[in-house]
C-alpha cells in the first residue's frame, strides 16, 4: 500500500525513521518496541514516544512471519444476501470479537470455484483458522488444508468421510414435526428441495422422502431446486400445478421465492394453501399470517463454530462435531391444518 | 498458522524443501519461482514441478513485503444483517471479483469503536485499499489513513470537510416524491428518523423537515431512532399515538421494525395507515400489499464505490465523489393516498 511512495504522499514510518529521530540504532528500536528486557525503561519510553509522534504502525505481515498468531480467522459463506447466512456471519463475528479475534468474511456466491479460490487466498494470509460453508466440490481443497494442519471447521454443511469437525443443524425434529402437522389432515404434500451438491440439500430431501415412506404418505410432489429465490418462485408454481396444497420449503431463499409467487397468485396462505418456511428470520415474522418455520437456531450454530475453531487453534480439548436440533415454530401459515385437524372427524 | 509445527501435523513446504528435492540453491528456487530471466527454462520447469509435488504455497505475507499490490481490498459495513448492507457488500464483492480482486469484509455492528479498530487491522494488513461506511466518530481515523496515502472510499455515509471521495445516495428525489404523495391528501405525517451520528440520518431528517416547512405541512411527528429494528418497532407506536397515519421510515431496519409493530397491532397497511419504507429489498416486495419504497439503488452504489477505489489505487484519472439519486417506487402500501387523492375534490 505504501511501498511505492507516490510523490506528494507521505510514506509509512519505518524503524529507521524512529532510529534517526531518537539517535538510537534500529536494533535498539526493534527490541524496545518488542519489550525486550535488555532495553532500559527510559530508553523504551523514549522510543515509544517517538514511534507515536511519527505515527508508526508495525507491519503486520512482517510481524506474522515471526509470530504464530494473527488473531484473525476467515469465514466463507455462500450468499451474504441470504438472511440465514447473514445471521450466521454476524453470530460468528460477535463471538470472535468478544474473544479479541477479527473475522475476515468472504461471500462465495454459491460457486464452488469461488470457495476453492477463497480458501487459497485465506491460506496465503496465514490466518489462525477458517470456518467454511462448503460445497461437495470443495471437499478436496478443504481436506488438503485440513491435512496440512490448518485449523478448519465446517458450518451448516459437512463433508462426509473427511473427519473435519462440523457444526450442522439436525433437520429431523423440525422436519418430522412439519410433515406430521401438515398431514394430520388430508392434504397434498409438496417439497421444495435444495441443491444435491450440498449436504443439507441431500439430507433434508432424504429425510423428507423417508418420512413419507414411513408415514405411508402418498401423492407427494418434489421440486428439485437450488438455494435461490428463483427456485422457490418457480418451484411453488410447479408444485401447485401438480396439486400440492401443503408445502415445505427447504431453505430461506426458496421460502422467500415461494412467498413472492404466492402473493402474485393472490393466494391466501393458511387458507388456500399451507406453507412452512425454513429458518426463523425477520422476513417470515413479518408475513401476515406469520410463517410457521423450521428453525435451525442459526445464532447457536455460529457461536459453536467459533468455539470449535478456537479449540482447534489452541490445540486444547477434544474437538467433536456438533449437531443442533431444528425446532418447528407453529404460526398462522399452517392455521388451516390446525383448524382442519380439529374437524378431522367430520370430514 | 504453521510456524509452530505441532507434532503429527505436516508443516508448510519452504523454499529450502524445494532446494533439497531439486539439488538447487534456495536463491535459484526463489528466482525460478519469481520468473527471473536469469533462470533457464528447463530449470524453471523443474522447480515448478517440484514445488507442485511438495504442495508449496508462497507465503503471502513475505511476498507482500516485496510487492506493492495484494489484490485485496477491505470493506467495512455497520450491520451485515441489515439487508441493505448485505446487498451493498454483495455488489462490491461481485464487482471486485470480476476485476480479480478479493474482498475482506468486516461487520462493525454500528459501533464507531469497532470501525476504528477494524481500520487499524486493515491498515496493518496492507490491503490495496478500503471501502468504509463510517460513523462521524470515525472521521479522525479515516482522515489519518487518507492523509498517509491509503486509498480509501466512503460509501453510504460521508465525512464532511475531509475531502475523502464518497458514494452516497441523494435522498432528495425519493423523499420529496414520498412527502408529496402522502400529503396529496389530508394526512398526519410521521417520520422515523435515523441516528444523528451518521450523515445519512442527519441529511434525511434535515431534508424531511425542510420539505415540511417548504410545503407548509403542519402537525408533523418525528421519532428520533436508530438504524435498528427496535427503533422502528417502538417509533411507529409512538408516532401512531401522536396521531400520525402516514409514516415514512428512514432506513431498512426501521421499516422492518415498523412492519412488526403494525402487524402486531392488526392494522391494515394502505387503509388504516400509509407506510413508505426505505430501500428496495425483497422483504418489502413480500409484503401484502407490497410496500411503497424509497430506493437507494444499492447495487449501483456498491459498483461505483469499487470503481472509485480502483481509480484511487491505480492513481489514474480524477476521483470525484458520486451521488446516486433515490427513486420512489409506488405500490399498495400507499394505496389509500392514491385513492384519496382521486377523491380530493369531494372531501
Amino acid at each position: 500500500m505504501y511501498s511505492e511512495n507516490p510523490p506528494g504522499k507521505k510514506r509509512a514510518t519505518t524503524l529507521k525513521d524512529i532510529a534517526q529521530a531518537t539517535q538510537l540504532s534500529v536494533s535498539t528500536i526493534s527490541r524496545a518496541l518488542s519489550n525486550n528486557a535488555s532495553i532500559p525503561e527510559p530508553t523504551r519510553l523514549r522510543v515509544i514516544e517517538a514511534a507515536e509522534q511519527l505515527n508508526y504502525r508495525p507491519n503486520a505481515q512482517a510481524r506474522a512471519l515471526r509470530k504464530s498468531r494473527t488473531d484473525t480467522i476467515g469465514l466463507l459463506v455462500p450468499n451474504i444476501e441470504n438472511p440465514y447466512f447473514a445471521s450466521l456471519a454476524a453470530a460468528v463475528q460477535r463471538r470472535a470479537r468478544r474473544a479479541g479475534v477479527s473475522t475476515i468474511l468472504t461471500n462465495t456466491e454459491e460457486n464452488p470455484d469461488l470457495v476453492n479460490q477463497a480458501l487459497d487466498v485465506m491460506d496465503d494470509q496465514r490466518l489462525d483458522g477458517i470456518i467454511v460453508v462448503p460445497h461437495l466440490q470443495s471437499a478436496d481443497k478443504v481436506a488438503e488444508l485440513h491435512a496440512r494442519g490448518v485449523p478448519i471447521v465446517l458450518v451448516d454443511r459437512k463433508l462426509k468421510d473427511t473427519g473435519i469437525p462440523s457444526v450442522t443443524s439436525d433437520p429431523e425434529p423440525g422436519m418430522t414435526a412439519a410433515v406430521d402437522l401438515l398431514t394430520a389432515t388430508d392434504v397434498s404434500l409438496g417439497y421444495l428441495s435444495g441443491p444435491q451438491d450440498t449436504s443439507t440439500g441431500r439430507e433434508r430431501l432424504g429425510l423428507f422422502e423417508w418420512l413419507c415412506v414411513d408415514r405411508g404418505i402418498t401423492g407427494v410432489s418434489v421440486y428439485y431446486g437450488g438455494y435461490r429465490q428463483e427456485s422457490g418462485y418457480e418451484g411453488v408454481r410447479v408444485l401447485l400445478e401438480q396439486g400440492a396444497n401443503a408445502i415445505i420449503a427447504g431453505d430461506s431463499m426458496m421460502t422467500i421465492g415461494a412467498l413472492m409467487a404466492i402473493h402474485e397468485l393472490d393466494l391466501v396462505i393458511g387458507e388456500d394453501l399451507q406453507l412452512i418456511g425454513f429458518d426463523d428470520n425477520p422476513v417470515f415474522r413479518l408475513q401476515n399470517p406469520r410463517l410457521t418455520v423450521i428453525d435451525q437456531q442459526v445464532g447457536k450454530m455460529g457461536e459453536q463454530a467459533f468455539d470449535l475453531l478456537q479449540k482447534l487453534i489452541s490445540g486444547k480439548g477434544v474437538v467433536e462435531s456438533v449437531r443442533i436440533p431444528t425446532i418447528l415454530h407453529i404460526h398462522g401459515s399452517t392455521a388451516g391444518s390446525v383448524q382442519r385437524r380439529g374437524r378431522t372427524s367430520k370430514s
Side-chain angles (χ1 to χ4, degrees), chain A residues 59-70 125-127:
Chain A
N59 182 325
Q61 279 136 355
R63 221 191 309 131
L65 287 173
R66 295 187 303 265
K67 189 179 168 255
S68 60
R69 290 280 176 85
T70 54
Q125 287 169 329
R126 313 243 150 170
L127 307 175

Side-chain angles (χ1 to χ4, degrees), chain A residues 288-302:
Chain A
N288 202 1
R290 185 169 165 173
L291 273 200
T292 295
V293 294
I294 297 171
D295 176 12
Q296 295 193 79
Q297 307 194 69
V298 65
K300 265 193 202 173
M301 289 178 71

Side-chain angles (χ1 to χ4, degrees), chain A residues 26-292:
Chain A
V26 168
S27 81
T28 303
I29 304 298
S30 167
R31 277 178 294 155
L33 290 175
S34 61
N35 297 320
N36 188 305
S38 70
I39 305 294
E41 188 62 12
T43 310
R44 199 179 69 83
L45 291 176
R46 204 170 120 213
V47 170
I48 286 170
E49 199 178 311
E52 278 172 4
Q53 274 182 359
L54 291 168
N55 217 350
Y56 172 71
R57 296 214 52 76
N59 182 325
Q61 279 136 355
R63 221 191 309 131
L65 287 173
R66 295 187 303 265
K67 189 179 168 255
S68 60
R69 290 280 176 85
T70 54
D71 287 330
T72 305
I73 61 163
L75 172 61
L76 297 180
V77 297
N79 180 4
I80 202 64
E81 292 183 273
N82 177 334
Y84 165 73
F85 290 119
S87 295
L88 182 70
V92 169
Q93 285 201 314
R94 259 195 303 275
R95 189 77 152 204
R97 184 171 59 75
R98 275 175 207 147
V101 171
S102 300
T103 305
I104 282 177
L105 178 60
T106 295
N107 183 25
T108 55
E109 304 178 31
E110 287 288 9
N111 178 339
D113 292 338
L114 290 184
V115 176
N116 292 340
Q117 274 176 37
L119 285 170
D120 273 341
V121 168
M122 289 193 168
D123 184 25
D124 277 0
Q125 287 169 329
R126 313 243 150 170
L127 307 175
D128 292 341
I130 301 172
I131 298 173
V132 58
V133 181
H135 286 76
L136 299 184
Q137 299 94 316
S138 337
D140 287 349
K141 174 63 67 186
V142 172
E144 179 207 318
L145 296 186
H146 176 69
R148 277 201 281 111
V150 178
I152 195 159
V153 167
L154 309 176
V155 68
D156 179 60
R157 304 173 189 167
K158 55 193 166 183
L159 295 172
K160 242 168 82 176
D161 305 326
T162 58
I164 304 172
S166 63
V167 177
T168 54
S169 79
D170 177 3
E172 205 270 328
M175 181 78 87
T176 305
V179 167
D180 288 346
L181 174 68
L182 292 176
T183 56
T185 54
D186 185 26
V187 295
S188 285
L189 203 57
Y191 181 61
L192 290 167
S193 166
Q196 299 302 296
D197 67 344
T198 63
S199 66
T200 47
R202 287 186 183 203
E203 186 178 15
R204 291 174 200 165
L205 177 61
L207 174 63
F208 176 80
E209 290 176 335
W210 180 86
L211 284 167
C212 290
V213 170
D214 184 66
R215 265 63 172 171
I217 305 164
T218 54
V220 172
S221 314
V222 172
Y223 178 83
Y224 296 87
Y227 290 146
R228 297 171 306 118
Q229 246 169 249
E230 296 75 18
S231 290
Y233 182 87
E234 279 172 39
V236 94
R237 288 169 175 264
V238 170
L239 292 178
L240 288 169
E241 264 173 40
Q242 291 174 353
N245 60 7
I247 294 172
I248 300 173
D251 95 311
S252 273
M253 295 309 275
M254 289 193 293
T255 307
I256 292 174
L259 285 168
M260 283 185 161
I262 291 166
H263 288 325
E264 258 187 39
L265 294 168
D266 236 345
L267 296 173
V268 179
I269 297 175
E271 291 179 22
D272 297 329
L273 84 165
Q274 320 300 315
L275 178 68
I276 296 183
F278 221 92
D279 296 317
D280 186 26
N281 86 50
V283 189
F284 308 147
R285 277 178 236 147
L286 290 177
Q287 286 296 308
N288 202 1
R290 185 169 165 173
L291 273 200
T292 295

